[in-house]
Amino acid sequence: MMLWIVPLLPVLMAPVIYLGGRREGRIGVTLLALSALMAVIGTLVSAMAGHWQGSYALNAALVLQLGVGPSSQFVALAIPIMAFPVLLFAGAYEQAPLGRLLAVMVAFVGAMELLVLAQDMVTLLVAWELIGAYSWALVSHHWRDRDRVKNAGQVFLVTRFGDLGLYIAAAAVFAGSGGFGYQQLAGLEGSLLQVAAAGILLAAVAKSAQVPFSAWLFAAMSGPVSVSALLHAATLVAAGMYVLARLQPLLADAAWLMPAVMLIGLTTALLGAVTSLVQSHAKKLLAASTSAQYGLMWVAIGAGFPGVALLHFLSHGFFKAGLFLTTGVAERQARSYQLANMRLGGRVPTIALLGGIFSLALAGMVPLGAAWTKEQIISAAYTTSPWLAAGVALAGGLSAVYATRFQLTMFGPVRFGRTRQRKPPLSEACRFELLALSVLAALTLGLSLFWWPEARRWLRQPGWELADGHLWLLAVSLVLVVLGMALGAMLVQRGRLDVQQGWKRSAFCWWGLEPLTLGAGATLVKLSDRLARFDRDVLERATRLLSRQASQAASVLARRDTDGVDASLRGSAAAVTRIANVGATAGEALSERLPGSLSGLVNRGGGRARQAQSGQTHHYYAGMAIGFAVLLTLLLLGDAL
């Protein structure tokens, strides 16, 4: 259970940081946020040393599990390390409400830790939902701006659509195994395995901003610059790549999956590089380059080298966070993110120097660590196909073009700009901003140790397989990088990419994906709005009307009940009373007089009978004898005649 502390600690610290933002000053709330990250790092180190595990059984089938493995411990440790200088910069650079911003960023780190340490699909889904909600809150941090809120909704809708894939995958795992564990995913067969693989791919594509879901990164640029650094370097965009790298060995039986991953990755790397090349907005240039760099990681995963992808994630995280933060400093000087308005030249030399280190890493220039990880990806792709390796090398060369253009248009000498007027130096940044950028630059430079042969033995310790390098591949790649940097400088000097027409306009809008995504999102929002209005204006009104009618009907029935039923009861009672009275009178009379009358008749009959019989019997006998004699005489006379 101890491992649950790692994701829960920053989530529980978030309310404290939020309240601290109201009571403490800028330094106090920043220290609270940094303390939370330090606590996460310390807890993680203890977890790795003690091989902590975590599980919580909701029932026999639903068991939430956390674990520390080679890949998870690497990424789990990298996330707070990347987030530390970003939060330090945010504490010095961002405006109020600082407490809320830092609190959500720290909670976001906790959600990412939960995602990375998850060992089952349900825990993964919980973390997946949390990072989606936190990303929405961060992008819409300045919520009074309706456009920012709209863009945050755009990000939320697109990533939510991809989330459906993860639900489908979890359902397939449960249907095939009766559980949700990652190991049970490996036991799937047949159609359930294909469904699970397709669901995971959909979720990873959307979250990792791969084609055709790349354009949501442009909408995410509405967030503060430190938020962009955190999302692109360590958290949201990395989630899709990490899940794919973590589950890649378990999905090996889905034969179509890894070729699809390589195709999507290479397509995104090439299209994203060209999109980045023609951008005039500094943050959008970096956003498109994020898609392209993660596309390279996808190629490494598809080729069977997830460890190489994670190493490139580490190097990319440090220099990409540094690039976003230097962009923030430049925007403060130029009052705009438009590259054409910057050309800061030598006015901010320290920031320009630090930005140059990050840009060289983005270009893949030797001896920086990012160059080594990019060469590893080219070598990994070569194990699958020389054409795939050529595509990755071309994407690397294009990255050198847009990295050079970014650096020269933002911090290049005045001669690269359109004016030669000398301008006074600017105050570059406060000491905490410089400290954060210096830490990221030192980490970027420190990864140059990857070129040291002994370092490869260390990097294989987690059990990762590294690709065998080829000297001629390295030479070809370096030539492309140098040519790319020369081409980037030439394009800046001539301003060839400043006018957006033809294919450049299409690439500028992410090859039509940005308006398509915006249109789909707007349509969905309108549909939701209309459904809400239908619910409010029709369903609720109908419900209220029905309720009112039912109430009136009930009132009528109540009155009728009172007037009718009660009257009926009263009438019935009166009728019964009358019947009772009739019974009491007529019945009594009938019951009493009838026997009386019968008795009288009997008495009179008896009296008559007594009169007929009393003292007169001999008259009857005499009458009868006379009658008999008369009759006999008549008979005799008749015979004689």
Side-chain angles (χ1 to χ4, degrees):
M1 293 296 291
M2 293 290 290
L3 195 54
W4 290 99
I5 297 174
V6 176
L8 288 178
L9 185 61
V11 174
L12 295 176
M13 282 289 291
V16 179
I17 298 169
Y18 175 77
L19 295 175
R22 294 186 172 186
R23 299 175 182 177
E24 305 293 335
R26 179 177 289 271
I27 295 178
V29 70
T30 304
L31 287 176
L32 275 175
L34 296 179
S35 301
L37 294 183
M38 290 298 295
V40 172
I41 295 173
T43 310
L44 267 172
V45 172
S46 301
M48 289 186 285
H51 303 287
W52 291 1
Q53 300 290 326
S55 65
Y56 182 77
L58 298 173
N59 54 47
L62 198 56
V63 182
L64 307 182
Q65 302 174 62
L66 297 184
V68 179
S71 298
S72 60
Q73 68 182 11
F74 175 82
V75 178
L77 196 56
I79 290 170
I81 292 176
M82 290 180 189
F84 191 92
V86 174
L87 265 66
L88 175 61
F89 183 90
Y93 176 86
E94 301 293 352
Q95 302 301 314
L98 186 59
R100 176 160 61 87
L101 179 65
L102 293 179
V104 180
M105 292 175 79
V106 168
F108 201 161
V109 170
M112 272 302 294
E113 294 291 348
L114 182 65
L115 186 146
V116 171
L117 298 174
Q119 297 293 315
D120 65 278
M121 299 298 290
V122 176
T123 307
L124 177 63
L125 272 171
V126 172
W128 206 262
E129 294 292 344
L130 285 175
I131 64 172
Y134 287 139
S135 63
W136 174 83
L138 288 173
V139 174
S140 61
H141 177 65
H142 298 295
W143 54 271
R144 289 185 174 85
D145 187 335
R146 292 177 62 86
D147 289 339
R148 293 175 188 263
V149 175
K150 179 181 176 182
N151 289 334
Q154 186 79 21
V155 174
F156 186 73
L157 287 176
V158 175
T159 55
R160 286 289 298 167
F161 178 77
D163 295 350
L164 295 176
L166 207 57
Y167 282 94
I168 294 172
V173 173
F174 184 77
S177 64
F180 292 99
Y182 284 170
Q183 292 305 320
Q184 289 160 317
L185 175 63
L188 292 183
E189 296 177 346
S191 58
L192 286 177
L193 174 62
Q194 311 307 325
V195 170
I200 292 170
L201 179 64
L202 174 62
V205 166
K207 203 70 99 182
S208 196
Q210 299 295 288
V211 172
F213 298 102
S214 308
W216 68 261
L217 280 181
F218 282 1
M221 293 301 98
S222 293
V225 68
S226 55
V227 169
S228 299
L230 186 66
L231 297 186
H232 287 244
T235 53
L236 185 63
V237 190
M241 183 279 302
Y242 169 76
V243 168
L244 203 58
R246 172 68 180 82
L247 301 181
Q248 185 265 349
L250 307 177
L251 296 170
D253 291 338
W256 60 270
L257 180 60
M258 291 304 128
V261 168
M262 287 187 286
L263 178 61
I264 293 172
L266 182 61
T267 303
T268 306
L270 293 172
L271 294 181
V274 179
T275 301
S276 182
L277 187 60
V278 299
Q279 287 302 313
S280 57
H281 189 281
K283 288 181 69 177
K284 289 186 176 180
L285 185 154
L286 296 177
S289 80
T290 297
S291 286
Q293 294 296 316
Y294 275 92
L296 297 179
M297 299 177 209
W298 275 54
V299 172
I301 295 170
F305 295 87
V308 171
L310 294 179
L311 289 171
H312 193 62
F313 154 75
L314 183 68
S315 58
H316 172 265
F318 290 142
F319 73 69
K320 184 54 65 71
L323 285 170
F324 270 110
L325 299 187
T326 54
T327 300
V329 177
E331 185 273 340
R332 186 172 56 199
Q333 309 295 350
R335 306 293 182 186
S336 170
Y337 284 113
Q338 292 298 318
L339 290 167
N341 298 333
M342 292 186 179
R343 315 296 176 111
L344 296 174
R347 303 175 71 192
V348 285
T350 307
I351 298 298
L353 174 63
L354 295 172
I357 294 172
F358 302 134
S359 295
L360 286 173
L362 177 60
M365 177 53 72
V366 174
L368 295 174
W372 182 85
T373 55
K374 191 190 70 176
E375 298 307 317
Q376 274 290 301
I377 293 174
I378 295 174
S379 299
Y382 185 72
T383 62
T384 300
S385 166
W387 292 108
L388 182 62
V392 173
L394 178 59
L398 290 173
S399 69
V401 180
Y402 63 71
T404 304
R405 177 171 176 262
F406 173 85
Q407 177 67 20
L408 294 182
T409 51
M410 184 176 289
F411 298 116
V414 176
R415 59 189 175 87
F416 282 100
R418 295 178 178 176
T419 175
R420 295 177 182 276
Q421 182 179 1
R422 186 177 295 277
K423 296 182 179 180
L426 298 169
S427 60
E428 295 190 83
C430 75
R431 59 181 182 277
F432 293 112
E433 294 171 356
L434 284 174
L435 177 60
L437 289 169
S438 300
V439 169
L440 288 169
L443 292 170
T444 300
L445 292 171
L447 292 185
S448 301
L449 288 173
F450 285 166
W451 289 97
W452 187 27
E454 185 66 17
R456 297 193 175 197
R457 187 175 63 82
W458 299 344
L459 296 176
R460 286 191 171 95
Q461 289 294 328
W464 293 338
E465 183 180 0
L466 300 181
D468 294 330
H470 301 277
L471 187 58
W472 68 272
L473 272 179
L474 175 61
V476 170
S477 177
L478 282 177
V479 169
L480 288 174
V481 169
V482 172
L483 290 176
M485 294 176 69
L487 179 60
M490 183 187 72
L491 291 174
V492 171
Q493 190 171 18
R494 297 184 178 181
R496 292 291 182 86
L497 298 176
D498 292 345
V499 180
Q500 304 300 334
Q501 293 179 345
W503 68 269
K504 288 183 287 189
R505 183 163 187 79
S506 177
F508 185 80
C509 301
W510 243 114
W511 306 97
L513 290 175
E514 185 183 20
L516 182 64
T517 304
L518 289 173
T523 302
L524 186 59
V525 170
K526 286 181 180 178
L527 178 62
S528 303
D529 183 63
R530 290 180 180 178
L531 288 174
R533 291 183 180 181
F534 177 77
D535 178 69
R536 183 192 61 195
D537 298 339
V538 179
L539 294 182
E540 288 189 11
R541 186 171 297 176
T543 303
R544 288 196 298 269
L545 181 61
L546 289 174
S547 175
R548 192 180 303 118
Q549 294 294 332
S551 177
Q552 292 174 352
S555 300
V556 170
L557 290 176
R559 286 196 298 272
R560 289 183 178 179
D561 176 71
T562 303
D563 300 340
V565 177
D566 288 356
S568 175
L569 290 174
R570 287 194 298 271
S572 298
V576 171
T577 303
R578 284 195 294 271
I579 291 172
N581 292 333
V582 170
T585 55
E588 183 178 357
L590 183 64
S591 62
E592 291 183 358
R593 291 179 182 180
L594 182 60
S597 298
L598 291 175
S599 178
L601 289 174
V602 171
N603 289 334
R604 282 195 296 272
R608 295 289 177 86
R610 282 192 304 272
Q611 290 176 0
Q613 294 177 1
S614 175
Q616 301 298 327
T617 306
H618 59 283
H619 293 290
Y620 297 144
Y621 292 145
M624 290 178 60
I626 294 170
F628 180 75
V630 172
L631 182 61
L632 182 61
T633 301
L634 289 176
L635 287 175
L636 288 174
L637 287 176
D639 287 342
L641 293 176

